[in-house]
Amino acid sequence: MTFPSHPSGSALRERMIEDMNVRGFTEDTRRDYIRCVKRFAAFIGRSPDAATAEDLRRFQVHQTESGMRPPGINSSVSALRFFFTVTLDRPDLSRRLAIVHQPRKLPLVLSAEEVARLLEAAPGPKYKAALGTAYGAGLRVSEVVALKVTDIDSARMLIRVEQGKGRKDRHAMLSPHLLELLRAWWREGKRRGVMLPRGWLFPGRNPVTPLSSRQLNRAVHAAAEAAEIRKRVTPHTLRHSFATHLLEQDIDIRVIQVLLGHAKLDTTALYARVATNTIRTVMSPLDRIKPLTQDETRPDR
C-alpha cells in the first residue's frame, strides 16, 4: 500500500510505519492509520505531505456531508494528527483538525437470566467458555481471543491479560464457575486434538491461530437468536453486563475499574447510570417527609 501518485509516497508510508513502531502501536492501529492517510491523499489528489489547512477543512466537511459517523471522523483525526505532528513535524496543520463530540449513550445490559440463556444457547463448549469468560471476567473480545492456556492461574484464581487496551498487562478475576466452564472446554479441546501445549485457550479453525473476534461475534449473535433475546447483543454486551451486575452487588466502583482495566474512573462510572437495582434501592427524599396525599376518609372541603 502506497500513498498515490507521488515519488515520495512509499518513503512517507515507511517513515510513518517506523514512527508508529517506535511508539509501540498495535498492528490494527498501524493499518487503520495508514488507511486513513491514504483516504485523505486520495481525496486531495496528491501526496499528503503537500496538504494545506484548507485541504484538511474540506476533507472534514466532506466526511460530515457524506454521513460518516463521529467515531469514524475522530479516528481519521487521530491518524492525521499523528501523520502531520510526528511523521511530518507539522503540528500547525494538525491543530486544524476538529474532534466531533458525541453524547455518551447508556450501554446495553442483559439481565442475569438473559446471560444464563445466552450461555446455554452458545454453539458448543468452546463458545460457551469464551462467552462465559467475556461475562465472568469482564474481558474485551480482543482480550478473550488472545488468551493462552498458560494465562489461567487456577491456584490464585486469576486470569492474566497480556497487553490489553493501552498495551497494559493486568489480572482479571477467575470465578469457580468460570473455571469449570474452561476445564470442560479444555477436556473437550484435548479430545479433539486442538489444544496445543502453551497454545491458544480458544483456537480457531487452525489450532495454531486464535479464534477471531469476528467468529466470536457471529457466535454471540447465533446464541442470542437461539435464546430468543431481542436485544442487539455483542460480546461487549457481556462486559457491560459484568460491570453493571457487580455494581448492583454493591462492589466498590474502584474495584470494578481495576477489573475492567479502565484508565479513568469516569469511564467506569457510566455503569452507575444503568445499575437499575441500585437505583431502585435508593430512598427518594420525598419518602422521608410527611405524605402529601389527602386522607381518603376525610371529605373534601
Side-chain angles (χ1 to χ4, degrees):
M1 183 188 299
T2 58
F3 298 130
S5 64
H6 192 281
S8 65
S10 181
L12 272 177
R13 176 183 180 276
E14 293 306 316
R15 182 182 177 89
M16 184 176 178
I17 290 173
E18 289 173 354
D19 291 336
M20 291 188 287
N21 286 338
V22 166
R23 287 154 182 81
F25 285 17
T26 65
E27 181 181 349
D28 287 345
T29 301
R30 294 196 302 268
R31 183 175 60 249
D32 290 344
Y33 275 29
I34 290 292
R35 186 186 299 119
C36 287
V37 177
K38 183 181 179 182
R39 191 180 299 124
F40 170 70
F43 173 78
I44 65 175
R46 59 186 187 280
S47 177
D49 65 342
T52 65
E54 178 61 19
D55 288 328
L56 291 171
R57 190 193 71 82
R58 289 192 304 109
F59 183 60
Q60 287 210 282
V61 170
H62 165 73
Q63 288 181 312
T64 303
E65 292 180 344
S66 64
M68 181 177 284
R69 297 178 63 82
I73 295 175
N74 292 339
S75 293
S76 293
V77 169
S78 296
L80 292 172
R81 279 182 175 173
F82 181 88
F83 175 70
F84 286 111
T85 301
V86 178
T87 302
L88 292 185
D89 194 21
R90 291 289 309 278
D92 56 307
L93 283 181
S94 71
R95 288 195 292 269
R96 302 283 183 165
L97 294 161
I99 288 286
V100 180
H101 295 284
Q102 54 182 330
R104 297 189 66 178
K105 296 183 178 179
L106 292 179
L108 177 68
V109 171
L110 299 178
S111 68
E113 186 269 338
E114 287 173 326
V115 172
R117 283 163 45 203
L118 182 79
L119 295 181
E120 193 61 34
K126 177 171 70 174
Y127 288 108
K128 181 179 290 188
L131 296 177
T133 302
Y135 174 68
L139 301 191
R140 302 175 178 92
V141 62
S142 59
E143 295 169 342
V144 172
V145 298
L147 288 175
K148 295 186 175 180
V149 175
T150 51
D151 292 327
I152 306 303
D153 186 346
S154 58
R156 300 169 64 203
M157 296 303 286
L158 294 171
I159 299 174
R160 176 177 171 82
V161 180
E162 291 191 356
Q163 299 295 284
K165 189 172 182 180
R167 302 186 67 82
K168 296 177 181 178
D169 293 350
R170 75 177 193 280
H171 282 107
M173 62 188 295
L174 174 63
S175 73
H177 185 52
L178 176 55
L179 181 58
E180 289 179 14
L181 284 177
L182 294 175
R183 282 175 169 166
W185 158 238
W186 185 83
R187 290 191 294 267
E188 177 63 17
K190 290 285 286 186
R191 187 188 67 78
R192 297 183 193 175
V194 299
M195 302 298 283
L196 303 179
R198 306 182 70 82
W200 303 106
L201 182 59
F202 303 114
R205 293 186 178 91
N206 186 333
V208 301
T209 59
L211 186 71
S212 71
S213 298
R214 182 173 296 179
Q215 288 172 309
L216 195 55
N217 266 294
R218 285 200 294 262
V220 79
H221 292 155
E225 184 175 355
E228 298 183 344
I229 297 173
R230 304 306 176 197
K231 299 173 181 176
R232 188 177 180 277
V233 182
T234 69
H236 212 69
T237 306
L238 295 171
R239 176 174 160 89
H240 291 323
S241 303
F242 164 85
T244 304
H245 295 168
L246 284 183
L247 197 61
E248 292 180 339
Q249 296 168 26
D250 294 329
I251 303 300
D252 189 279
I253 195 168
R254 295 187 184 276
V255 174
I256 300 174
Q257 178 190 2
V258 172
L259 292 174
L260 292 173
H262 283 163
K264 298 179 180 179
L265 185 61
D266 287 351
T267 307
T268 316
L270 179 65
Y271 295 108
R273 296 165 57 188
V274 291
T276 54
N277 285 354
T278 303
I279 294 171
R280 286 195 295 264
T281 59
V282 175
M283 177 180 287
S284 167
L286 182 63
D287 294 331
R288 297 183 180 275
I289 65 177
K290 185 178 180 180
L292 302 179
T293 54
Q294 288 185 326
D295 186 345
E296 295 183 356
T297 62
R298 297 176 59 188
D300 292 338
R301 292 177 182 265

